């Protein structure tokens, strides 16, 4: 059985990321697979620098590792490249990122910014499309604008996938999630605040939603 594991928005919670990765390896039981990260590695939580460092190391041999870009990752890049974007980023949780690097934006390594900047916006396999925020069903896959892929919010109850594929996304946080519909799965449980991170497990041979979940819990103390 070939499986794809999908970890949603981390937002600086290195503790939850570490536990989720342990859970993925335990579930895989020595087999490889595909690990897709849905973006938003930074902002809000306390350890964005450690999250980036860990993800840049990738996964062991036998794994396909696909870290996607989230809107918060894009905001961090924009702020580092253009000081005029700094205030907007800080208002969306960037202050926590600066603290994790030592409170000075100029000590954030160029290599970390370049890594975030180069991340892909979506991943496609035989049955599913993985993206941070969502897709516009009225626009061709190759013509989807970046703002949609990074910022879209589906209307409540919207069950539409995309051209026969199931859409797997995060971004639209729902603490009691994940949200599962016929055409899409939203895995974002606002883990940076709730301390509850849900990894979706998908069977590469079959269409549709997750066949299993890996749930990890961490402290909410000190997270606001």
């Amino acid at each position: 059985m070939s499986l794809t594991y999908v970890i949603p928005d981390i937002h600086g919670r290195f503790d939850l990321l570490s536990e989720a990765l342990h859970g993925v390896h335990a579930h895989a039981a020595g087999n490889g697979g595909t690990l897709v990260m849905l973006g938003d590695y930074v902002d809000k939580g306390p350890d964005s620098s450690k999250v980036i460092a860990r993800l840049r190391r990738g996964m062991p041999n036998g794994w396909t590792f696909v870290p996607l870009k989230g809107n918060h990752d894009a905001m961090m890049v924009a702020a580092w490249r253009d000081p005029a974007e700094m205030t907007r980023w800080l208002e969306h949780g960037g202050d926590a990122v600066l603290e994790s690097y030592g409170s000075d934006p100029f000590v954030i390594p160029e290599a970390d910014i370049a890594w975030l900047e180069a991340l892909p916006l979506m991943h496609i396999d035989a049955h599913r499309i993985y993206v941070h925020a969502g897709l516009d069903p009225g626009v061709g896959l190759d013509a989807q604008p970046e703002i949609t892929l990074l910022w879209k919010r589906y209307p409540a109850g919207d069950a539409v996938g995309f051209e026969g594929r199931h859409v797997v996304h995060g971004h639209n946080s729902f603490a009691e999630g994940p949200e599962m519909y016929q055409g899409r799965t939203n895995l974002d449980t606002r883990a940076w605040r709730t301390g509850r991170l849900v990894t979706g497990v998908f069977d590469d041979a079959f269409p549709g939603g997750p066949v299993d979940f890996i749930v990890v819990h961490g402290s909410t103390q000190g997270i606001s």
Side-chain angles (χ1 to χ4, degrees):
M1 179 185 295
S2 176
L3 298 175
T4 293
Y5 298 85
V6 185
I7 299 178
D9 313 45
I10 293 295
H11 284 302
R13 288 298 299 267
F14 179 75
D15 58 332
L16 296 178
L17 173 62
S18 297
E19 289 298 319
L21 292 174
H22 283 304
V24 167
H25 285 296
H27 191 281
N31 298 308
T34 298
L35 175 63
V36 178
M37 306 288 304
L38 293 179
D40 277 8
Y41 312 118
V42 302
D43 296 351
K44 302 181 179 180
D47 295 313
S48 292
S49 61
K50 292 172 69 174
V51 168
I52 292 175
R54 174 60 190 89
L55 294 179
R56 287 187 62 195
R57 294 202 302 270
M59 292 288 282
N61 291 337
W63 285 86
T64 299
F65 182 50
V66 187
L68 300 178
K69 184 187 294 184
N71 61 308
H72 282 264
D73 311 314
M75 282 193 290
M76 178 174 170
V77 171
W80 202 88
R81 299 284 188 215
D82 181 1
E85 298 290 333
M86 184 64 68
T87 298
R88 177 174 182 251
W89 176 49
L90 294 177
E91 290 173 348
H92 284 80
D95 55 334
V97 179
L98 293 187
E99 286 189 25
S100 78
Y101 279 99
S103 300
D104 184 350
F106 296 103
V107 304
I108 298 176
E110 163 67 27
D112 284 3
I113 297 297
W115 182 80
L116 290 171
E117 191 169 34
L119 294 173
L121 297 174
M122 72 173 80
H123 174 65
I124 305 167
D125 62 22
H127 300 296
R128 283 168 282 271
I129 301 173
Y130 309 86
V131 63
H132 175 65
L135 298 156
D136 183 343
V139 177
L141 190 60
D142 293 338
Q144 295 283 325
E146 182 171 314
I147 192 170
T148 298
L149 302 174
L150 295 181
W151 290 91
K152 177 185 173 73
R153 294 194 185 275
Y154 286 94
D158 188 339
V160 176
F162 190 89
E163 297 181 350
R165 283 185 168 93
H166 195 86
V167 176
V168 184
H169 67 93
H171 180 63
N172 194 10
S173 62
F174 180 65
E176 291 75 34
E179 295 180 294
M180 293 180 289
Y181 301 99
Q182 182 176 356
R184 67 180 179 92
T185 297
N186 172 25
L187 291 171
D188 185 0
T189 57
R190 200 178 300 154
W192 69 273
R193 175 175 286 179
T194 66
R196 176 175 168 266
L197 179 66
V198 178
T199 298
V201 184
F202 298 83
D203 189 332
D204 296 341
F206 296 97
V211 296
D212 202 356
F213 295 105
I214 301 167
V215 182
V216 300
H217 295 273
S219 172
T220 61
Q221 185 176 0
I223 305 298
S224 61

